[in-house]
Amino acid sequence: MPITRATDIALRVLITLTGASKRRTIAQIAESIGVPERYTGKMVQRLSAEGWLDTTRGKGGGVRVSKAGLDATPLDVIHAIGEGWPTIDCADPPCPLLIRGCDLRSILANAEAAFMECMGNVTMAQLRAG
């Protein structure tokens, strides 16, 4: 299962903010995760819409992770961003190896299930970056 760039940025934002003791600006977050402010800002909006970030405008404002964000799992983030599924789609375009009994599809399905189980067994609070 591929992790898209959007998912990667979302995970970086949440992990960075779990270790933050105070609100951070988009610029501070972008610098700490090595992503342009424009992309960081878009991801902050998406994560905020999920209820995982609290945002405050104006002087003294900024972004911080919410209780729901601390309790979210990386798997929750992957599903919310909604990108990267499936690893390989054997049906589009149709793979002629399917009719010959190729086992790759089942092996990939097993690997994806194991990956998702691992990603669902840890919370963002446990992944804090300090």
Side-chain angles (χ1 to χ4, degrees), residues 1-129:
M1 123 120 270
I3 296 287
T4 64
R5 183 72 172 140
T7 303
D8 175 41
I9 293 169
L11 291 169
R12 288 185 196 196
V13 168
L14 282 168
I15 291 168
T16 297
L17 291 173
T18 61
S21 59
K22 57 184 177 181
R23 292 184 181 274
R24 293 211 176 150
T25 66
I26 300 288
Q28 291 169 327
I29 297 167
E31 183 178 334
S32 69
I33 64 174
V35 174
E37 283 185 48
R38 186 171 126 221
Y39 298 121
T40 303
K42 286 180 181 181
M43 198 50 60
V44 164
Q45 286 179 335
R46 287 180 78 177
L47 295 170
S48 180
E50 292 294 328
W52 295 331
L53 297 180
D54 294 324
T55 59
T56 305
R57 292 180 176 255
K59 187 174 175 134
V63 182
R64 69 177 176 195
V65 68
S66 68
K67 171 74 169 115
L70 291 172
D71 293 339
T73 68
L75 184 60
D76 295 331
V77 177
I78 291 168
H79 285 300
I81 300 304
E83 300 173 3
W85 304 92
T87 303
I88 292 179
D89 186 356
C90 298
D92 187 31
C95 178
L97 299 178
L98 280 176
I99 59 174
R100 291 188 249 162
C102 177
D103 291 330
L104 183 59
R105 180 187 240 174
S106 64
I107 292 168
L108 288 172
N110 290 339
E112 191 168 288
F115 172 82
M116 292 191 302
E117 182 180 346
C118 287
M119 295 298 269
N121 285 335
V122 64
T123 65
M124 297 310 297
Q126 293 168 315
L127 295 176
R128 57 182 295 192

